Amino acid sequence: MKKIAVLLSGRGSNFISIKKKIDEGGINGEIAVVISNKADAKGLEFAREQGLNTVFVNPKEFDGREAYDRELVRILRENGVELVCLAGFMRIISPYFVSEFRNRILNIHPSLLPSFKGLDAQKQAFEYGVKFAGCTVHFVDEEMDHGSIILQAVVPVMQDDDDHSLSERILKEEHRIYPEAVALFCGDRLKVEGRKVFVI
């Protein structure tokens, strides 16, 4: 059973979907720690209600990104973490963090990468006029929204959509494929070769 850390900044809806799949027995893992850079994050509150180990790490107490990430890595190691799941963690992680957990950090992004990286991806896609949008679970590397792709889900853009309705439909797919990717990792079923990830 693999030990999982979740890093979040907000409501943590993807964290909740992962926790649900663990509770249902669909993931061979356990949440060892939930960390947030926001003291009032709803996801942190939910984690406490669930009796999970929670830590607030205040960015203002550290001199720069790497110093902050060194503290995160210390906490992760202290808790024996084998997989890090970013679930709406609104910080760009440093190369140091990536190097310490290479191919062991997952993120979900609300677009079909490599299209529409960065913030407001759903709005970017909607305004561009694409016919299909979606979401991507990927390993995290040193570049933003760039690491090797594990799973993707496609969401058609309807003629009566706006960016909010599209975002809601994409989020439903996020809640489906993120736990699925975590389950594959925890089952030792992912093999990385260059930029490609194979399910074995």
Side-chain angles (χ1 to χ4, degrees):
M1 182 173 287
K2 287 197 166 40
K3 290 193 172 184
I4 302 166
V6 178
L7 276 57
L8 53 81
S9 300
R11 60 184 175 171
S13 69
N14 275 301
F15 154 53
I16 293 168
S17 69
I18 291 167
K19 173 73 167 60
K20 183 180 178 188
K21 186 145 182 141
I22 290 172
D23 292 345
E24 293 169 351
I27 294 174
N28 185 27
E30 60 180 353
I31 295 173
V33 63
V34 179
I35 304 173
S36 182
N37 63 321
K38 302 280 188 184
D40 59 351
K42 294 289 185 188
L44 207 58
E45 188 180 315
F46 172 80
R48 289 193 192 106
E49 289 168 359
Q50 296 293 307
L52 296 172
N53 179 22
T54 62
V55 184
F56 162 58
V57 184
N58 188 349
K60 292 177 182 175
E61 294 177 4
F62 297 87
D63 183 20
R65 189 189 305 168
E66 185 172 314
Y68 183 84
D69 284 1
R70 283 184 180 275
E71 175 62 10
L72 296 187
V73 168
R74 186 194 67 76
I75 294 166
L76 297 175
R77 297 217 179 285
E78 192 177 76
N79 285 278
V81 168
E82 298 160 272
L83 173 65
V84 179
C85 294
L86 307 183
F89 188 57
M90 301 307 289
R91 287 180 62 87
I92 296 172
I93 65 174
S94 65
Y96 166 77
F97 193 154
V98 173
S99 69
E100 291 297 298
F101 283 86
R102 176 82 55 194
N103 289 337
R104 291 189 292 148
I105 309 170
L106 302 187
N107 184 47
I108 188 149
H109 183 72
S111 80
L112 295 173
L113 291 175
S115 298
F116 310 116
K117 297 179 180 182
L119 295 173
D120 299 320
Q122 308 96 319
K123 187 177 182 183
Q124 290 182 57
F126 180 76
E127 290 180 350
Y128 197 86
V130 299
K131 302 302 181 186
F132 293 92
C135 49
T136 304
V137 184
H138 64 96
F139 284 112
V140 174
D141 66 10
E142 289 82 357
E143 295 181 47
M144 185 178 67
D145 300 329
H146 176 267
S148 300
I149 291 168
I150 301 167
L151 294 174
Q152 292 184 303
V154 176
V155 174
V157 181
M158 305 302 184
Q159 293 206 143
D160 59 351
D161 265 333
D162 57 27
D163 58 313
H164 298 293
S165 61
L166 179 60
S167 294
E168 285 301 311
R169 295 209 328 282
I170 290 172
L171 189 61
K172 287 180 183 175
E173 290 300 301
E174 290 182 39
H175 293 165
R176 181 179 67 81
I177 69 168
Y178 205 173
E180 186 180 335
V182 174
L184 289 170
F185 183 96
C186 290
D188 296 317
R189 295 187 58 205
L190 298 178
K191 181 181 179 183
V192 183
E193 292 184 4
R195 281 210 53 85
K196 293 186 178 180
V197 179
F198 298 94
V199 177
I200 54 175

